[in-house]
Amino acid sequence: MSRLDKLYLGTNTKMYKTISQTKEFVRSLERLTGDMSEEETSLFVIPSFPSVGPAKQCLSSGRIRIGAQNMGWEEEGPFSGEVSAPMLKELGADLVMIGHSERRHELRETDRMENGKVLCALRNGITPLLCIGETGEQKDYKISDECLSIQLKTGLSQVSAEEAEKIWIAYEPVWAIGAKGTPADPEYVRRRHSTIRHTLEALFGETPGREIPILYGGSVNIDNAVSIIREENVDGLFIGRSAWEADSFNRIIRDVLPVWREKQRA
Ligand code: PGA
């Protein structure tokens, strides 16, 4: 079975939900999606650090994975304010988001830092979800593909082909994220995902390069989710605002699932 026999759907709740709100959210999501099979859908929620353990504990099965929004690049050390991979592991985190645009741009993280975090996550058995994306300015200069390729080659430096079997990628154009973002059109998404796929194949070979899940994120909503998932090499969606109510997230999942199945059969 290939990793791409599954549809990947998740949300990052940023710095929005408290512990009790996160628990309520994941419980409702688990209930609403109870009929979905783990073989077909990989659902995940990435809450803020204090909610990782509580969210994990209030789920009755491992069907919904819980991730962290960031992580230090060393197992331990004098890094006040950072959280390490072993700490996250102890909380039960299944995955870790690395290099989200807000970390890169608001907190000045670099590709080198993201690379250290990817390697650290792999050493500790946590799935790294590496986020990449060009800025609006880079898009205007028509250097989006070059930027994505640099972010992948640097962020995944020293990752072996065997380790690459565990990573996930999220393509999130910076200009498409958040309330001020402009949703990317599906054709644009398809072209960028194709670049990402080629770069992954160049880095790791056809196997596992062809099987690394590439998710799209940035202003995904109930109106555009279906047209994005139809595109080639879009293996899932990484959603912010439109997924923060369990009902709305569930509705998006149910809208895209039949379209994704159709694409798999084609
Ligand atoms: P958005 O957020 O869907 O609210 O644009 C996406 C993200 O930041 O991952």
Side-chain angles (χ1 to χ4, degrees):
M1 185 178 164
S2 153
R3 293 170 82 195
L4 300 188
D5 290 340
K6 272 180 199 229
L7 173 62
Y8 294 75
L9 297 155
T11 183
N12 154 28
T13 62
K14 310 196 180 188
M15 199 176 73
Y16 282 106
K17 289 186 190 289
T18 63
I19 298 175
S20 54
Q21 288 166 342
T22 304
K23 282 163 65 176
E24 196 185 316
F25 173 69
V26 296
R27 271 198 208 107
S28 310
L29 189 63
E30 188 175 50
R31 185 170 34 79
L32 289 166
T33 59
D35 59 325
M36 293 180 197
S37 103
E38 217 180 321
E39 272 77 58
E40 193 180 42
T41 50
S42 179
L43 304 181
F44 62 97
V45 174
I46 305 191
S48 52
F49 281 138
S51 299
V52 171
K56 190 77 195 173
Q57 277 162 20
C58 76
L59 289 168
S60 57
S61 76
R63 202 169 48 78
I64 297 179
R65 300 205 215 185
I66 300 294
Q69 294 178 10
N70 179 33
M71 195 189 78
W73 57 83
E74 299 272 358
E75 272 76 0
E76 59 177 17
F79 303 107
S80 303
E82 288 295 298
V83 168
S84 74
M87 294 170 193
L88 292 177
K89 193 87 189 147
E90 213 170 289
L91 290 175
D94 305 292
L95 66 144
V96 60
M97 178 172 83
I98 292 170
H100 185 273
S101 135
E102 287 145 18
R103 305 279 327 164
R104 290 177 186 265
H105 299 284
E106 305 293 328
L107 292 140
R108 302 270 174 270
E109 287 188 8
T110 63
D111 283 322
R112 250 180 98 171
M113 289 157 87
E114 316 310 2
N115 179 231
K117 296 176 192 208
V118 166
L119 295 171
C120 186
L122 290 167
R123 280 198 302 276
N124 287 278
I126 303 177
T127 300
L129 168 57
L130 177 66
C131 305
I132 57 171
E134 79 284 5
T135 63
E137 194 183 16
Q138 290 163 336
K139 174 177 172 267
D140 293 343
Y141 279 122
K142 303 200 184 327
I143 54 169
S144 304
D145 288 338
E146 287 86 342
C147 290
L148 296 176
S149 162
I150 289 169
Q151 288 174 1
L152 285 171
K153 287 179 179 166
T154 322
L156 299 176
S157 168
Q158 295 175 68
V159 171
S160 67
E162 196 185 318
E163 289 170 325
E165 285 174 18
K166 297 179 191 100
I167 58 175
W168 301 358
I169 302 294
Y171 167 55
E172 300 200 287
V174 180
W175 49 270
I177 294 175
K180 294 190 190 131
T182 320
D185 70 72
E187 163 70 13
Y188 187 88
V189 173
R190 185 178 58 72
R191 281 191 271 129
R192 302 293 83 76
H193 276 238
S194 159
T195 297
I196 296 169
R197 179 64 73 212
H198 285 127
T199 309
L200 293 172
E201 286 181 11
L203 282 173
F204 303 114
E206 219 174 85
T207 315
R210 194 176 276 180
E211 304 216 327
I212 296 173
I214 310 172
L215 286 65
Y216 173 77
S219 292
V220 172
N221 58 43
I222 191 85
D223 299 319
N224 62 21
V226 162
S227 55
I228 295 172
I229 208 71
R230 263 203 194 106
E231 296 296 341
E232 201 182 343
N233 286 312
V234 177
D235 309 310
L237 299 172
F238 192 27
I239 316 172
R241 291 155 294 153
S242 301
W244 292 344
E245 297 294 334
D247 275 334
S248 323
F249 192 11
N250 177 49
R251 243 176 288 136
I252 295 181
I253 300 170
R254 287 181 195 279
D255 268 15
V256 297
L257 202 47
V259 178
W260 173 80
R261 282 186 192 131
E262 224 173 84
K263 185 172 82 168
Q264 293 293 96
R265 280 195 296 268

